[in-house]
Amino acid sequence: MEIKIDDLTSPEVAELVMDHLWSMAQLSPPESTHALNLDGLRKPEVTFWSVWEGEELVGCGAIKELDPHHGEIKSMKTSSKHLRKGVARKMLHYIIEEAIRRDYKRLSLETGSMVAFEPARKLYASFGFEYCKPFSDYVEDPNSVFMTKEI
C-alpha cells in the first residue's frame, strides 16, 4: 500500500469522500455529523492523504491542524471493498507519525457513539487514544465521542 498527499481532484477520491459523507449522514443526525466535504478537506489547515494498492484507491485520511501543537484526525475511510485488510491501521499509523514529525503534542478526534462506530473506537484505543472531553469547537453531544492521544 502506498500513502500519498492528495489534491482531491481524482474521481476515485471524490467518490470515496462522498461515500464517507453519505455513510455519516445515514448514521448521525445532521447536527452531529462533523465529516468534511471536498471543499473542507482542501482548506490550508488540512492535509489529506489517499491510500493506494496499485491503481486502486483503498482508503484515505487527513489531519486538520488546530494549533501548532494539536492536530485532529479527519476523514478516515476505507473503501468498502477493502475492509478488514489493515488499511485504516496503516493510515492511522501514518497520521500519528506525521503528527510526530510536525512536533504536535496532542492528536485528537471525534467519532460516533453508536454501535456502528465501535470498530473505529477500538482501533483508536489500540493506538493509545483515550476518551476525553470535547476539544476545539466541539460541544457535548450524545451522538459523539472524543478521543485524544499525547504524542
Side-chain angles (χ1 to χ4, degrees):
M1 280 184 259
E2 178 188 5
I3 298 174
K4 57 186 177 181
I5 288 181
D6 198 293
D7 64 5
L8 296 123
T9 57
S10 78
E12 297 94 342
V13 169
E15 184 179 327
L16 185 61
V17 170
M18 295 308 293
D19 181 51
H20 181 58
L21 292 170
W22 183 86
S23 296
M24 296 303 98
Q26 301 308 304
L27 296 168
S28 302
E31 66 276 8
S32 299
T33 302
H34 304 288
L36 297 175
N37 62 20
L38 289 168
D39 289 336
L41 290 167
R42 289 186 182 113
K43 292 196 174 189
E45 65 271 19
V46 177
T47 305
F48 180 87
W49 295 276
S50 54
V51 185
W52 298 84
E53 198 165 80
E55 298 294 314
E56 189 171 4
L57 178 64
V58 298
C60 64
I63 289 180
K64 178 180 180 183
E65 185 168 287
L66 301 175
D67 67 47
H69 300 290
H70 190 186
E72 178 184 3
I73 296 174
K74 300 296 290 182
S75 301
M76 286 275 297
K77 176 70 175 172
T78 300
S79 165
S80 60
K81 292 186 271 182
H82 295 279
L83 296 173
R84 289 173 284 290
K85 294 182 180 178
V87 175
R89 183 166 291 282
K90 184 169 180 123
M91 183 76 254
L92 183 55
H93 177 75
Y94 188 90
I95 287 173
I96 292 168
E97 290 298 312
E98 177 63 20
I100 291 167
R101 280 190 291 280
R102 293 180 181 195
D103 201 29
Y104 288 170
K105 304 300 179 212
R106 179 172 299 283
L107 195 54
S108 302
L109 63 98
E110 178 277 336
T111 191
S113 63
M114 295 73 102
V115 172
F117 294 94
E118 188 173 337
R121 294 190 305 268
K122 284 183 177 179
L123 173 66
Y124 296 127
S126 76
F127 276 80
F129 285 83
E130 298 177 344
Y131 293 97
C132 65
K133 296 285 185 191
F135 59 92
S136 187
D137 296 331
Y138 292 107
V139 296
E140 289 287 346
D141 180 346
N143 298 301
S144 291
V145 296
F146 306 94
M147 300 180 82
T148 195
K149 175 183 175 71
E150 286 187 34
I151 298 178

